């Protein structure tokens, strides 16, 4: 079982501030991981405080891709949690990689790799904007966590399906229109940059969940 908490998004529930970007926390039985950092680091840390998340407990930070709305909070996270392991797409800017290395252990991702027990990176996907997504394998099916899904749903889901049945997707879906790829899922939690949010909601009304800061999901 994984507990996923949205801590940064373009939409926010009461008591939180909406801001363009995405970040989510994943808690497993053994460790805590952060996926992306949003844009505004101090806001990210404020949201963590409101959600009773101590950033010092985060062991691993995964950066989906190098867009500003996913890496903006990096300096603040590294400042409060030096020594963190940071997993980035290997194609990330060389200068940014050097800066991260000054403050944390940098792990460059090219191929699919297990990051934590039951949590795998898809490896770097796509061509124009390279991006990694996470596969959360509950032992009972998989959930995909995406930043913006720039490589396209087809490429991402083809990779993820190697790990087993894909039960759900969580994250930004950008302008993807491959809606049929979502049909067999049980959960579609779309947020951040998802252009066709309303269409997806219309097609899959019972499976759709709106992503907003403060959303907590238990993935089994
Ligand atoms: Zn984005
Ligand atoms: Zn992006």
């Amino acid at each position: 079982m994984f507990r996923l908490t949205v801590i940064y998004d373009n939409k926010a529930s009461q008591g939180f501030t909406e801001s363009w970007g995405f970040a989510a926390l994943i808690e497993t039985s053994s460790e805590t991981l952060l996926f992306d950092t949003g844009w505004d680091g101090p806001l990210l840390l404020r949201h963590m405080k409101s959600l009773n998340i101590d950033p010092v407990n985060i062991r691993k930070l995964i950066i989906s891709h190098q867009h500003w709305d996913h890496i903006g909070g990096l300096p603040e996270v590294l400042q409060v949690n030096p020594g963190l392991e940071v997993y980035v797409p290997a194609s990330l800017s060389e200068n940014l990689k050097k800066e991260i290395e000054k403050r944390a252990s940098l792990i460059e991702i090219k191929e699919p790799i297990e990051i934590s027990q039951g949590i795998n990176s898809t490896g770097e996907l796509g061509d124009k904007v390279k991006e990694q997504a996470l596969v959360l394998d509950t032992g009972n099916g998989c959930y995909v966590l995406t930043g913006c899904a720039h490589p396209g749903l087809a490429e991402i889901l083809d990779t993820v399906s190697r790990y087993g049945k894909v039960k759900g997707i969580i994250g930004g879906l950008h302008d993807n229109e491959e809606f049929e790829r979502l049909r067999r899922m049980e959960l579609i939690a779309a947020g951040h940059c998802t252009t066709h949010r309303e269409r997806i909601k219309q097609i899959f009304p019972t499976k759709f969940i709106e992503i907003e800061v403060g959303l907590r999901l238990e993935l089994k």
Side-chain angles (χ1 to χ4, degrees):
M1 208 262 295
F2 302 104
R3 186 161 80 151
L4 187 141
T5 309
V6 176
I7 49 184
Y8 203 105
D9 191 70
N10 304 33
K11 291 196 172 185
S13 56
Q14 218 184 355
F16 300 100
T17 306
E18 53 182 46
S19 174
W20 192 279
F22 186 66
L25 191 88
I26 308 154
E27 291 162 277
T28 77
S29 54
S30 53
E31 60 184 358
T32 302
L33 301 89
L34 178 64
F35 180 76
D36 286 344
T37 66
W39 165 66
D40 178 344
L43 178 63
L44 179 83
L45 295 184
R46 279 207 300 282
H47 282 169
M48 283 193 198
K49 199 167 178 206
S50 310
L51 288 159
N52 278 322
I53 296 163
D54 187 346
V56 174
N57 294 334
I58 299 168
R59 293 269 303 275
K60 293 166 181 171
L61 166 62
I62 298 97
I63 296 293
S64 63
H65 66 300
Q66 73 171 2
H67 282 161
W68 60 274
D69 47 339
H70 298 257
I71 62 170
L74 254 169
E76 282 77 11
V77 174
L78 296 186
Q79 196 179 10
V80 296
N81 189 338
L84 194 67
E85 287 175 18
V86 185
Y87 294 78
V88 304
S91 61
L92 199 81
S93 136
E94 289 301 322
N95 287 328
L96 178 53
K97 284 194 277 193
K98 276 184 203 146
E99 292 300 326
I100 294 172
E101 261 181 327
K102 287 182 195 166
R103 307 180 188 189
S105 352
L106 181 81
I107 297 107
E108 298 186 40
I109 305 278
K110 262 202 175 113
E111 300 301 320
I113 183 178
E114 186 174 61
I115 288 180
S116 181
Q117 201 184 353
I119 301 183
N120 286 273
S121 163
T122 57
E124 246 184 354
L125 302 176
D127 38 35
K128 272 192 220 120
V129 182
K130 294 207 174 177
E131 181 173 340
Q132 60 175 333
L134 286 187
V135 189
L136 311 177
D137 185 352
T138 64
N140 192 21
C142 300
Y143 292 86
V144 195
L145 178 61
T146 60
C148 287
H150 292 294
L153 277 180
E155 186 172 347
I156 294 172
L157 295 176
D158 284 346
T159 308
V160 173
S161 57
R162 288 181 219 157
Y163 295 90
K165 180 176 183 253
V166 184
K167 287 177 87 175
I169 189 162
I170 301 133
L173 302 183
H174 199 50
D175 55 1
N176 278 286
E177 289 185 340
E178 294 141 301
F179 306 128
E180 280 311 308
R181 298 294 306 241
L182 304 171
R183 187 162 298 279
R184 282 159 64 196
M185 294 183 188
E186 294 168 17
L187 169 84
I188 303 162
H192 175 45
C193 58
T194 306
T195 313
H196 303 296
R197 197 191 296 248
E198 292 307 314
R199 282 276 309 280
I200 298 170
K201 207 195 281 190
Q202 241 172 39
I203 304 173
F204 308 109
T206 56
K207 305 174 185 188
F208 186 87
I209 292 181
E210 193 93 58
I211 285 188
E212 53 182 16
V213 180
L215 174 72
R216 268 197 164 132
L217 296 170
E218 312 246 302
L219 305 173
K220 292 175 190 159

